[in-house]
């Protein structure tokens, strides 16, 4: 029979994770594995799109889960666990981003890195309307171009774009994760969309 | 509104995030602006591309590593809690409890046995030397030499607490010599075994026979019948009897002895908020009842009066002292018939 407290929490917050979180809070270490299973993929995708580096993204996710485990007793079930957890991962990714940006300033660029032009645009990778545009290779190139364009965005624009347009979180959830008012989330997102569109037009030509 | 300013609103139109009013404004502008229509198309295409991005899959080792570290953390946390709370909840309280218990017991024992401790305090170094310094047959020292030898004072100290402050000692010395200069000469120190084993009551008259009787009676009270006979024989022996020597020394004194025997017949404790004032009143009471005040000592806040009083006046004394403050009496030793009763009255602060 389910714990009435858990049922009450689940109903109040409409949170599927409430029961598992309560088990973790009571000291059930293995219950945390359930949360890892449920969220690791989405967390990795958020982090990967923010950082653009798979290994680094895995590392950040690992650290985020550990930070969440350490702090799980402080979670008060006032918001959804997902919001709380993704707040942690975005924060960790943001910190990692700052570190990498700081490191990148002191390092030489790789030949594989997107080349930023004098006007701030990235170099065009795919020829306009190429005949083998539907090939798998071209698909990968498009994906890479999008990722590179996301990488050119400032951190504050990047995180709202990833959370809303790629991961599909609501404005309210994003506001809770980033502790920002709705209006700020929207204005940042609209600007991020315009920046990304401009970048993609420069990188891919016609987007239709 | 320019097309550049309109662009941000177009971005909001993509997912229907604009308010009704903003949406109407943008749609009106789009009907007339080709550039903005193109921009909106690009925004929608970019959004489509972004949403079609492939998801990456987490590596299989990610969960394993996360859980390994989580378990490690949990163990460390348990270990830390154990380290922190084991001594806190078990060892420390037991040790602390034991310390507190010992302290409380020690305090109670001290408080309960305080009078006994005071009486049983070890004699000072000066007292221990006394038997050597003074031979049993030595004649009574002259009154003028009292200050140098002071055997009587030393004997009194045998039952006083460990060496008092210098001022106290000086004060006592002065008082003793002032009140009864002959007393000290008449009360040479007795060997500790004589004074300790058989209390010799105070002798009022300088009669040797009386002194013998007193010694015998005092000893009789403390002994069972068979032992008493032996003791009586020993006391009748012409030489070597400490008590006899003591009596001889006392009888040599020209003045009747006013010194109180080493152990008084009666010990009384009076409590008062102002011991000094209470002492003055107690002295007045004693004088009123024809008591003879032998000594007055002050130690810290406590005043000790030593006096002799006739047994008939004892009840009256009790009543009058009770009017000064709460009175407590220790065990009493019966005085000799007809002999005055020695009293040690301790006036303590409340």
């Amino acid at each position: 029979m389910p714990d009435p407290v858990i049922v009450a929490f689940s109903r109040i917050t409409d949170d599927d994770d409430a029961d598992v979180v309560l088990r973790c809070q009571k000291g059930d270490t293995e219950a945390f594995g359930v949360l890892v299973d449920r969220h690791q993929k989405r967390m990795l995708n958020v982090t990967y799109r923010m950082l653009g580096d798979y290994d680094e993204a895995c590392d950040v996710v690992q650290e985020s889960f550990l930070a969440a485990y350490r702090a799980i007793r402080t979670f008060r079930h006032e918001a959804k666990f997902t919001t709380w957890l993704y707040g942690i991962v975005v924060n960790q990714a943001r910190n990692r981003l700052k570190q990498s940006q700081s490191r990148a300033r002191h390092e030489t660029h790789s030949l594989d890195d997107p080349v930023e032009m004098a006007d701030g645009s990235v170099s065009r990778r795919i020829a306009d309307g190429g005949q083998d545009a539907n090939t798998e290779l071209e698909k990968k190139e498009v994906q890479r171009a999008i990722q590179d364009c996301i990488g050119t965005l400032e951190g504050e624009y990047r995180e709202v774009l990833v959370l809303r347009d790629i991961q599909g979180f609501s404005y309210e959830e994003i506001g809770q994760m980033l502790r920002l008012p709705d209006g700020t989330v929207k204005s940042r997102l609209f600007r991020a969309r315009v920046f990304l569109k401009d970048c993609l037009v420069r990188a891919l030509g016609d987007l239709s | 509104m320019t097309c550049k300013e309109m662009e941000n609103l177009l971005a909001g139109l993509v997912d229907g995030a604009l308010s009704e009013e903003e949406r109407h404004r943008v749609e009106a502008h789009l009907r007339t602006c080709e550039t903005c229509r193109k921009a909106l198309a690009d925004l929608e295409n970019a959004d489509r591309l972004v949403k079609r991005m492939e998801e990456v899959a987490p590596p299989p080792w990610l969960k394993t590593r996360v859980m390994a570290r989580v378990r490690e953390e949990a163990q460390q946390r348990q270990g830390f809690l154990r380290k922190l709370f084991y001594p806190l909840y078990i060892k420390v309280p037991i040790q602390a409890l034991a310390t507190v218990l010992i302290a409380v017991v020690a305090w109670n024992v001290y408080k309960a046995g305080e009078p006994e401790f005071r009486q049983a305090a070890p004699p000072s170094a000066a007292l221990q030397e006394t038997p050597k310094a003074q031979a049993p047959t030595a004649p009574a020292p002259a009154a003028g030499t009292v200050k140098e030898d002071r055997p009587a004072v030393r004997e009194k100290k045998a039952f006083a607490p460990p060496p008092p402050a210098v001022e106290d000692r000086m004060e006592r010395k002065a008082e003793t010599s002032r009140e009864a200069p002959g007393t000290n000469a008449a009360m040479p120190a007795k060997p500790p075994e004589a004074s300790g084993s058989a209390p010799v009551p105070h002798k009022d008259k300088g009669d040797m026979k009386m002194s013998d009787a007193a010694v015998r009676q005092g000893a009789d009270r403390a002994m069972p019948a068979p032992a008493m006979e032996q003791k009586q024989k020993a006391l009748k022996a012409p030489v070597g009897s400490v008590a006899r020597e003591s009596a001889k020394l006392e009888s040599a004194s020209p003045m009747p002895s006013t010194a109180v025997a080493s152990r008084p017949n009666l010990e009384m404790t009076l409590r008062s908020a102002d011991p000094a004032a209470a002492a003055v009143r107690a002295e007045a009471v004693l004088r009123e009842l024809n008591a003879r005040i032998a000594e007055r000592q002050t130690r810290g806040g406590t005043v000790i009066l030593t006096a002799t009083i006739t047994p008939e006046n004892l009840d009256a004394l009790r009543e009058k002292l009770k009017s000064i403050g709460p009175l407590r009496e220790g065990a009493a030793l019966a005085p000799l018939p007809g002999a005055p009763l020695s009293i040690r009255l301790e006036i303590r602060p409340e």
Side-chain angles (χ1 to χ4, degrees), chain A residues 29-30 32 36 62 66 69, chain B residues 61-75:
Chain A
T29 310
E30 295 312 309
F32 196 76
V36 175
Q62 198 176 319
L66 209 63
Y69 176 75
Chain B
W61 50 260
L62 184 61
K63 187 191 170 189
T64 316
R65 280 194 195 172
V66 168
M67 288 312 291
R69 289 189 65 184
V70 161
R71 287 185 197 106
E72 197 180 318
E73 283 274 324
Q75 275 189 344

Side-chain angles (χ1 to χ4, degrees), chain B residues 216-235:
Chain B
R216 276 196 296 276
Q217 278 194 14
D220 289 350
R221 273 196 298 275
M223 285 186 177
M228 193 173 70
E229 273 185 30
Q230 285 183 350
K231 185 71 186 174
Q232 279 174 345
K233 281 177 191 169
L235 287 171

Side-chain angles (χ1 to χ4, degrees), chain B residues 1-344:
Chain B
M1 187 177 271
T2 63
C3 290
K4 194 70 190 168
E5 289 165 340
M6 183 58 67
E7 208 170 21
N8 275 345
L9 290 177
L10 290 175
L13 200 64
V14 171
D15 65 344
L18 297 181
S19 64
E20 195 70 14
E21 186 264 324
E22 285 171 329
R23 193 168 59 81
H24 285 306
R25 196 145 48 99
V26 172
E27 283 172 354
H29 179 80
L30 282 174
R31 277 193 288 272
T32 59
C33 182
E34 175 61 30
T35 315
C36 285
R37 279 201 295 274
K38 173 75 171 68
L40 179 63
D42 283 342
L43 279 166
E44 285 169 342
N45 284 331
D47 186 56
R48 183 176 40 82
L49 285 172
V50 164
K51 283 192 167 57
R52 277 201 339 223
M53 283 180 85
E54 285 176 357
E55 285 195 319
V56 289
W61 50 260
L62 184 61
K63 187 191 170 189
T64 316
R65 280 194 195 172
V66 168
M67 288 312 291
R69 289 189 65 184
V70 161
R71 287 185 197 106
E72 197 180 318
E73 283 274 324
Q75 275 189 344
Q76 276 179 3
R77 191 182 287 177
Q78 276 185 349
F80 176 71
L81 290 177
R82 201 169 290 141
K83 266 185 205 166
L84 190 71
F85 290 109
Y86 251 66
L88 199 66
Y89 281 136
I90 299 171
K91 279 187 194 165
V92 170
I94 286 175
Q95 289 161 352
L97 198 69
T99 310
V100 169
L101 200 68
I102 288 167
V104 167
V105 168
W107 175 253
N108 280 337
V109 166
Y110 174 74
K111 289 302 282 181
E114 197 176 9
E116 284 78 5
F117 287 151
R118 193 165 292 170
Q119 284 190 347
S124 65
L127 178 66
Q128 286 169 349
E129 286 168 8
T130 306
K132 283 183 198 168
Q134 194 164 2
T137 52
T145 61
V146 165
K147 281 186 182 174
E148 283 74 37
D149 287 336
R150 303 188 54 76
V153 172
R154 280 178 189 164
E155 196 237 1
K156 279 178 195 168
K157 277 183 187 172
F159 299 96
V166 177
E167 308 87 78
D168 273 357
R169 200 180 298 169
M170 294 297 287
E171 185 187 344
R172 221 177 307 141
K173 194 185 274 185
E175 276 184 11
T176 314
S177 54
R178 193 168 53 243
E179 281 178 15
T183 303
N184 296 326
M187 287 291 291
K190 297 184 197 76
E193 60 269 20
S195 59
S197 62
V200 181
H202 169 70
K203 183 179 176 304
D204 204 27
K205 295 174 186 175
D207 189 341
M208 188 145 152
K209 283 179 185 173
M210 189 64 191
S211 175
D212 273 346
V215 170
R216 276 196 296 276
Q217 278 194 14
D220 289 350
R221 273 196 298 275
M223 285 186 177
M228 193 173 70
E229 273 185 30
Q230 285 183 350
K231 185 71 186 174
Q232 279 174 345
K233 281 177 191 169
L235 287 171
K236 281 174 186 170
V239 285
S241 167
V242 175
R244 190 181 291 268
E245 289 300 325
S246 171
K248 200 185 282 178
L249 288 169
E250 278 190 26
S251 67
S253 169
M255 296 278 289
S257 171
T258 55
V260 179
S262 58
R263 192 168 172 194
N265 294 110
L266 185 58
E267 286 186 350
M268 299 171 123
T269 308
L270 187 66
R271 297 271 177 187
S272 170
D274 184 358
V280 172
R281 288 180 64 189
E283 278 178 320
V285 166
L286 284 165
R287 276 194 290 272
E288 193 182 317
L289 295 169
N290 296 323
R292 189 171 292 170
I293 299 165
E295 195 176 16
R296 178 185 172 155
Q297 294 178 26
T298 307
R299 287 179 202 157
T302 306
V303 180
I304 301 166
L305 293 175
T306 318
T308 52
I309 188 169
T310 52
E312 294 79 17
N313 288 337
L314 186 60
D315 287 338
L317 177 68
R318 280 191 185 114
E319 288 308 309
K320 295 199 174 191
L321 288 178
K322 276 177 189 169
S323 69
I324 298 172
L327 185 69
R328 208 180 64 192
E329 283 188 33
L333 287 175
L336 290 171
L341 197 65
S342 63
I343 295 171
R344 186 175 186 273

